[in-house]
Amino acid sequence: MVELALPKHSIVGPGKTWPRPANAAKVTEFQIYRWNPDDGRNPTIDTYYVDRDDCGPMVLDALLYIKNKVDPTLTLRRSCREGICGSCAMNIDGQNTLACTKAIDEVKAPVKIYPLPHMPVVKDLVPDLTTFYAQHAAIEPWLKTETPAPEKEWLQTPEDRDKLNGYYECILCACCSTSCPSYWWNGDRYLGPAALLQAYRWLIDSRDESTGERLDNLEDPFRLYRCHTIMNCARACPKSLNPAKAIAEIKNMMIARQV
């Protein structure tokens, strides 16, 4: 008989409940995933209460309120607070999104917050994105040319520039890849929606001269073809991009060059 065991530290238990703020008229409850790799314990869900009259409107504001005024040990990533850097990507109310652009009022209390799913956790809400970034580097996200460089810049028509719209805006937050079941099961070999969207962005850049080489790099049963068009990636993208469409277009380019 096959015996299946859960990975170490996968069982989440109840954690600490922090006191409600005194004399607060409007309070929202937050249930947040906590895990410290140094104490050897399983993850827990800690409960916090945020005074909404002393806090900004976004989930990130609430997390910073908790870290600054309640529990300084809470660990998270954040930077721009404008939906540009992608640092504060996490799972909020069951959806991968950016904490800085997710309004607290958009989520029914208690607000449940976890790190991005199916990724190793460094601590608390911080996932290990080492593999994710390596996959992005693998598609060589830079302009590759063979002709001599111009004196000033590589020129591009407005029409060719418009073709990049919907692809160049990716901020590498990993919301799409970590929402993809194919990436969950094959993340070591399948490049995932984010990397493939970036790959397509360079494939259609009129200034790039390495289309064949780039397609050769993607011609693999796993790197590209693990996509089954589930569309979780498009639903999860906080920038409203469509990685599934980009992946489909790459597959069309693969077919076109063989005809």
Side-chain angles (χ1 to χ4, degrees):
M1 180 181 294
V2 177
E3 293 186 7
L4 301 177
L6 291 173
K8 187 178 181 181
H9 301 309
S10 62
I11 299 177
V12 182
K16 181 176 180 179
T17 298
W18 295 78
R20 297 173 67 94
N23 303 319
K26 184 179 181 182
V27 175
T28 298
E29 178 182 341
F30 284 77
Q31 297 179 358
I32 301 177
Y33 177 96
R34 304 297 309 277
W35 182 66
N36 185 349
D38 298 325
D39 62 17
R41 300 176 183 176
N42 276 13
T44 61
I45 301 297
D46 283 10
T47 300
Y48 301 89
Y49 297 94
V50 173
D51 181 357
R52 296 292 302 281
D53 292 327
D54 191 27
C55 173
M58 300 300 177
V59 170
L60 181 59
D61 294 317
L63 291 172
L64 296 179
Y65 171 95
I66 292 169
K67 185 171 180 65
N68 294 334
K69 299 187 177 184
V70 182
D71 180 8
T73 67
L74 178 63
T75 304
L76 66 146
R77 288 193 181 112
R78 54 94 177 176
S79 184
C80 74
R81 303 183 68 169
E82 296 290 342
I84 297 173
C85 72
S87 299
C88 65
M90 55 190 70
N91 187 278
I92 302 172
D93 193 33
Q95 179 182 3
N96 294 349
T97 188
L98 302 177
C100 66
T101 59
K102 187 70 171 180
I104 301 173
D105 289 337
E106 293 178 358
V107 186
K108 184 179 179 180
V111 182
K112 299 179 180 180
I113 304 178
Y114 291 80
L116 291 175
H118 293 269
M119 301 288 277
V121 176
V122 178
K123 185 179 181 182
D124 293 346
L125 301 177
V126 177
D128 185 349
L129 298 178
T130 302
T131 299
F132 176 79
Y133 291 136
Q135 290 165 334
H136 176 244
I139 58 101
E140 300 182 330
W142 55 80
L143 198 64
K144 299 173 67 176
T145 60
E146 297 178 359
T147 57
E151 293 183 3
K152 293 185 178 181
E153 59 187 349
W154 293 99
L155 298 179
Q156 189 173 46
T157 66
E159 292 76 18
D160 285 336
R161 169 59 185 80
D162 288 344
K163 294 178 182 178
L164 305 181
N165 291 338
Y167 304 105
Y168 81 91
E169 300 96 331
C170 174
I171 59 175
L172 294 175
C173 64
C175 284
C176 63
S177 292
T178 55
S179 71
C180 173
S182 295
Y183 191 77
W184 297 346
W185 313 135
N186 303 286
D188 58 334
R189 299 177 65 182
Y190 173 47
L191 290 179
L196 290 173
L197 180 142
Q198 290 280 334
Y200 183 64
R201 174 257 179 273
W202 292 103
L203 281 167
I204 61 172
D205 194 316
S206 62
R207 301 164 296 176
D208 191 87
E209 299 173 344
S210 296
T211 301
E213 180 183 336
R214 292 184 185 277
L215 290 175
D216 288 342
N217 187 41
L218 298 175
E219 185 70 78
D220 179 89
F222 278 86
R223 291 169 70 86
L224 170 65
Y225 292 103
R226 286 299 101 178
C227 173
H228 299 299
T229 322
I230 299 171
M231 300 301 293
N232 279 10
C233 55
R235 285 189 289 268
C237 180
K239 306 296 286 186
S240 299
L241 308 183
N242 191 343
K245 179 182 178 182
I247 295 171
E249 293 295 344
I250 296 176
K251 292 178 180 178
N252 286 336
M253 294 178 73
M254 291 288 192
I255 296 172
R257 74 169 182 164
Q258 295 176 3
V259 175

